[in-house]
Amino acid sequence: MRVGLIVDSACDLPHEFAAKHDLFILPVTAIINGETYIDTHDPALTQQFYQSGLLEKGHHAETEAFSVEQIHDLFMEKIVPEYDIAICETVTRSRSQIYQNASDAMHTVMANYEVARKASGRPGKFSMRVIDSKQIFAGQGLLAAHTLKLIKQKASKNALKYEVERFADNIFTCVIPRDIHYIRERARRRGDKSVSAVAAFLGKALNLTPVIFGQGAEGKPVAKTFNFDGAVERVMNYAIARIEAGLLTPYLSLSCGLSWDEIEALPGLDRLRETCERNNVELLLSQMGITSSIYVGPGSICLCLAAEPHEFQDYQ
């Protein structure tokens, strides 16, 4: 039985990791200043966006889920002929239409897959599950890495779905927005109240940078610093302490809406790397994708780990 994992373009993972594990990327449409782009997590296109400054115009941009018909066609062409079981993990349904569209497409695929299977010469039945990851960005990447670990362990289809959904409830997310007003405006237009007007006002009045923390995609400001580097230091210290306390999976996911030179210069990154190596944790370090950068704003950072229930502690 060949099992395939599908994630959408909001999922941030190192390109090499995704390619090595043959992840299928469900594209997202980005519309910037009237121009339409298809985000497939192609590293060359992502780098082009960063270098061109297009992402700086993200507050004038929108992202759109592929339609049910587009997703159906992709599944029939790329997934049904290649896999016996397909697991599709989408960005949290509370922030996007992707989950609903993928679920609707799955039903039409399941009703019609036999023709595509026969034409491809692949025998046997096909089954599929669409799972709401309850995550954003690096959190989706962490869930995908853990799911691949479960697939490698040859978990049954039902056990896989149960374990993935249970694990998703133990993912904790830290987001550091470079521009609090950008993320607040984006959140306001999407009906997301996780960044309050008060936090935005403080950011403007005192030049404060908040750390937004919570389980999955639901977060609230838990720390405010006078500069971006200070916020990064706090999140790095938090992550290092949680690694040493013990994680629920041997991965930690960090995506950054920065150039690679800026990423390597992040305060505390070397200490985080050393702690990961010492504790046999793989650091999934990636450049934030087009979709996630538009959503949270260029220059932002998203760090995710899986652990027992806890609060954010400001380790100094």
Side-chain angles (χ1 to χ4, degrees):
M1 299 290 285
R2 188 165 185 228
V3 183
L5 180 60
I6 305 162
V7 296
D8 58 56
S9 295
C11 175
D12 284 336
L13 272 173
H15 175 71
E16 297 78 10
F17 183 91
K20 175 183 176 182
H21 295 282
D22 200 24
L23 283 182
F24 182 83
I25 306 298
L26 181 60
V28 171
T29 301
I31 304 170
I32 306 175
N33 286 353
E35 294 290 327
T36 299
Y37 305 88
I38 304 300
D39 180 13
T40 60
H41 261 210
D42 178 273
L45 179 62
T46 302
Q47 192 62 28
Q48 180 184 331
F49 266 67
Y50 277 92
Q51 292 175 345
S52 68
L54 272 172
L55 292 176
E56 300 295 332
K57 302 175 182 178
H59 57 290
H60 298 300
E62 294 295 337
T63 56
E64 291 182 358
F66 263 32
S67 68
V68 175
E69 292 76 15
Q70 286 175 305
I71 297 174
H72 168 93
D73 291 346
L74 274 175
F75 286 171
M76 291 291 279
E77 180 184 352
K78 303 291 187 180
I79 302 301
V80 170
E82 295 294 327
Y83 302 100
D84 303 302
I85 300 172
I87 305 294
C88 178
E89 296 175 351
T90 74
V91 65
T92 177
R93 71 170 86 182
S94 66
R95 309 291 175 89
S96 172
Q97 188 67 23
I98 296 174
Y99 171 81
Q100 188 59 56
N101 288 3
S103 296
D104 291 345
M106 176 191 69
H107 293 309
T108 62
V109 166
M110 292 304 298
N112 298 282
Y113 74 80
E114 290 92 345
V115 174
R117 292 283 279 189
K118 186 175 181 180
S120 68
R122 191 170 190 88
K125 293 186 177 297
F126 172 80
S127 65
M128 188 173 190
R129 291 282 175 84
V130 176
I131 299 174
D132 175 7
S133 75
K134 306 176 188 175
Q135 311 300 319
I136 53 173
F137 320 144
Q140 281 183 268
L142 183 66
L143 183 64
H146 186 72
T147 303
L148 289 167
K149 180 172 173 283
L150 293 173
I151 291 173
K152 188 175 181 181
Q153 293 171 349
K154 300 189 184 303
S156 69
K157 181 175 63 175
N158 291 333
L160 185 62
K161 181 178 185 294
Y162 171 78
E163 289 297 330
V164 166
E165 291 179 337
R166 186 177 66 86
F167 179 80
D169 291 331
N170 292 300
I171 295 178
F172 291 82
T173 300
C174 293
V175 173
I176 307 173
R178 175 71 81 172
D179 183 345
I180 189 67
H181 305 285
Y182 177 105
I183 194 174
R184 175 180 171 247
E185 177 61 20
R186 293 282 304 171
R188 184 189 64 80
R189 286 192 290 174
R190 302 176 76 96
D192 176 5
K193 299 179 181 178
S194 62
V195 184
S196 70
V198 173
F201 171 77
L202 287 174
K204 180 178 181 180
L206 303 177
N207 194 32
L208 293 176
T209 300
V211 174
I212 300 170
F213 172 79
Q215 283 182 270
E218 304 305 320
K220 61 182 179 180
V222 292
K224 298 181 178 71
T225 61
F226 287 100
N227 56 64
F228 184 77
D229 283 355
V232 172
E233 282 275 16
R234 290 190 176 189
V235 168
M236 294 294 186
N237 290 341
Y238 154 79
I240 288 168
R242 294 315 311 178
I243 292 169
E244 292 176 340
L247 301 179
L248 298 180
T249 196
Y251 301 102
L252 185 143
S253 184
L254 174 61
S255 66
C256 310
L258 303 164
S259 70
W260 279 108
D261 287 343
E262 292 171 322
I263 291 172
E264 291 299 331
L266 286 172
L269 180 60
D270 287 343
R271 289 190 296 112
L272 180 65
R273 277 197 175 114
E274 291 168 4
T275 304
C276 284
E277 290 175 7
R278 191 167 62 250
N279 290 274
N280 297 314
V281 172
E282 183 173 353
L283 176 60
L284 301 172
L285 178 61
S286 64
Q287 193 172 47
M288 195 171 277
I290 295 168
T291 297
S292 43
S293 186
I294 287 174
Y295 190 99
V296 76
S300 301
I301 285 178
C302 181
L303 180 144
C304 295
L305 53 81
E308 297 294 345
H310 64 275
E311 298 295 327
F312 181 88
Q313 289 182 283
D314 195 5
Y315 301 93
Q316 298 291 345

